[in-house]
Amino acid sequence: MLINCVAYRQGQRLSDFGLDELPTYLGQPDSFVWVALRDPDEAELARMQKIFNLHELAVEDARHGQQQPKVEEYGDTLFAVINTIELDATNELRIGQVSIFAGPGFVLSLRAGSKHGLLGVRERAEREPHLLRQGPGFVLYAVMDAVVDRYFPIIESFDDELEAIESQIFAPGLGRANIERLYLLKQRITTVRHAVAPLIEAVAKLASERAPGVCLHSRAYFRDVNDHLTRIQRSLETLRDSIGTAIQVNLSMVTIEESEVTKRLAAWAGIFGTATAFAGIWGMNFDHMPELHWRWGYLAALGLIGATCGVLYWRFRRAGWL
């Protein structure tokens, strides 16, 4: 579906038009067009491929979606894939994709599987016409920067969730639940890493001396995007290390809790075992037992068993087993 189609000349918005008028604006001197589509269908992709002379392999990647983030060159056209990451109402990650074709005189952005639009990117770029004069390269930077900046709130939410889990690690009875939450958080961090790690190398190429022609005038801005990605990568690695430590501490707490239970069971087993031993000895049916015919033998036996169990309980209590 078409979002908008705009022509720019010398960094200034020239005109909004429909796709039928697109060939008229292509190739004009000191101008470029920026076409934005959302969830394009086969017919729209085929039409864009024909108008902009896009490589069929790049169009195939844009059509299928869920591609690994990358930047590829097809002649004088640059093809970039960026993953969008959003949190839905249930705090689960929603992965989308933005595919961008940037070439001489045009930018084509295709958004799929994402609820957050890129209209703010266009408005921001139009407020800086001196930068928009750089052409399609600056638009590519602006879209990348907007998508990458949306990673930071996700990282902050991960950090908050980890702090919440860590505050409950020493709470009794939550060992299993904490481990499950930590592993789920680790999986989500891995998902974000899969979106960030491949993009670091790709963006570094756009900021280098050997950057593609369409990005030559915007290399400094791509270095800024690369710095953001590097910061995000370091934050993710720190979170992974913290989760690993939290899991180890949580497992240690589970082990300690199990040890406490084992000690309690062993203490009670010792107390009842002693009582059972006394009862077993006096329960043997021999005729010549000195206590057998004593008038107070039964009460004395119960008293001795109770006293012995009381002493054992006191010793276990003092040792911290009960």
Side-chain angles (χ1 to χ4, degrees):
M1 182 178 70
L2 177 67
I3 302 298
N4 44 38
C5 189
V6 184
Y8 297 91
R9 177 175 295 163
Q10 291 294 324
Q12 299 291 337
R13 192 182 187 110
L14 186 61
S15 175
D16 291 62
F17 52 89
L19 290 179
D20 294 335
E21 304 172 79
L22 183 56
T24 305
Y25 288 90
L26 281 176
Q28 293 189 10
D30 299 325
S31 302
F32 72 92
V33 296
W34 182 357
V35 181
L37 301 177
R38 185 186 71 190
D39 297 321
D41 56 27
E42 294 285 342
E44 289 174 325
L45 283 175
R47 188 176 184 183
M48 293 299 102
Q49 180 180 5
K50 183 177 180 180
I51 293 175
F52 295 117
N53 193 27
L54 305 177
H55 197 282
E56 59 181 350
L57 293 178
V59 174
E60 188 73 13
D61 288 342
R63 177 183 295 114
H64 288 158
Q66 300 300 322
Q67 298 291 317
Q68 181 176 346
K70 59 184 177 180
V71 176
E72 296 177 339
E73 292 183 73
Y74 293 93
D76 55 0
T77 299
L78 202 64
F79 174 60
V81 175
I82 317 169
N83 285 344
T84 60
I85 304 175
E86 304 161 5
L87 289 174
D88 61 16
T90 61
N91 211 32
E92 293 296 325
L93 291 181
R94 180 186 179 94
I95 308 299
Q97 178 176 298
V98 175
S99 303
I100 309 166
F101 294 88
F106 77 92
V107 176
L108 172 63
S109 60
L110 311 172
R111 178 165 56 92
S114 173
K115 292 185 177 180
H116 294 297
L118 298 175
L119 290 177
V121 181
R122 187 184 294 273
E123 294 173 358
R124 171 196 166 190
E126 291 177 351
R127 287 195 299 268
E128 301 173 311
H130 62 289
L131 298 177
L132 198 55
R133 265 193 211 104
Q134 298 176 11
F138 179 76
V139 174
L140 175 61
Y141 150 75
V143 174
M144 277 190 171
D145 186 58
V147 174
V148 171
D149 283 348
R150 291 174 184 175
Y151 292 166
F152 284 103
I154 305 295
I155 304 302
E156 292 176 2
S157 71
F158 290 166
D159 195 38
D160 292 341
E161 185 173 353
L162 178 59
E163 289 182 1
I165 297 173
E166 287 178 332
S167 67
Q168 298 179 351
I169 282 182
F170 298 102
L174 295 178
R176 182 183 180 89
N178 286 337
I179 290 177
E180 290 179 356
R181 291 177 64 187
L182 286 169
Y183 270 103
L184 287 175
L185 180 57
K186 187 175 181 181
Q187 290 176 352
R188 296 163 71 190
I189 289 175
T190 301
T191 300
V192 178
R193 286 182 70 248
H194 289 165
V196 172
L199 204 55
I200 293 178
E201 183 178 354
V203 175
K205 179 182 177 182
L206 301 182
S208 69
E209 296 294 332
R210 302 178 61 184
V214 72
C215 300
L216 281 178
H217 300 296
S218 304
R219 287 178 297 173
Y221 298 97
F222 285 110
R223 280 197 294 271
D224 181 65
V225 175
N226 191 62
D227 289 343
H228 289 179
L229 289 169
T230 303
R231 284 171 50 197
I232 292 171
Q233 180 79 344
R234 285 199 297 264
S235 298
L236 292 173
E237 292 299 331
T238 301
L239 283 171
R240 279 172 57 87
D241 293 341
S242 299
I243 288 175
T245 302
I247 289 175
Q248 293 300 321
V249 172
N250 200 78
L251 289 174
S252 298
M253 291 303 301
V254 171
T255 302
I256 291 173
E257 288 181 2
E258 291 178 349
S259 176
E260 292 294 330
V261 172
T262 301
K263 287 193 295 185
R264 289 189 179 90
L265 291 175
W268 285 113
I271 292 173
F272 285 107
T274 300
T276 303
F278 278 118
I281 292 172
W282 282 316
M284 293 184 292
N285 296 318
F286 293 110
D287 290 332
H288 303 288
M289 290 181 67
E291 307 91 349
L292 189 61
H293 300 290
W294 183 33
R295 180 179 179 181
W296 306 104
Y298 179 72
L299 294 178
L302 289 179
L304 181 60
I305 292 174
T308 304
C309 291
V311 170
L312 288 175
Y313 179 84
W314 173 74
R315 291 298 302 271
F316 285 132
R317 184 84 171 177
R318 187 177 181 183
W321 283 40
L322 290 175

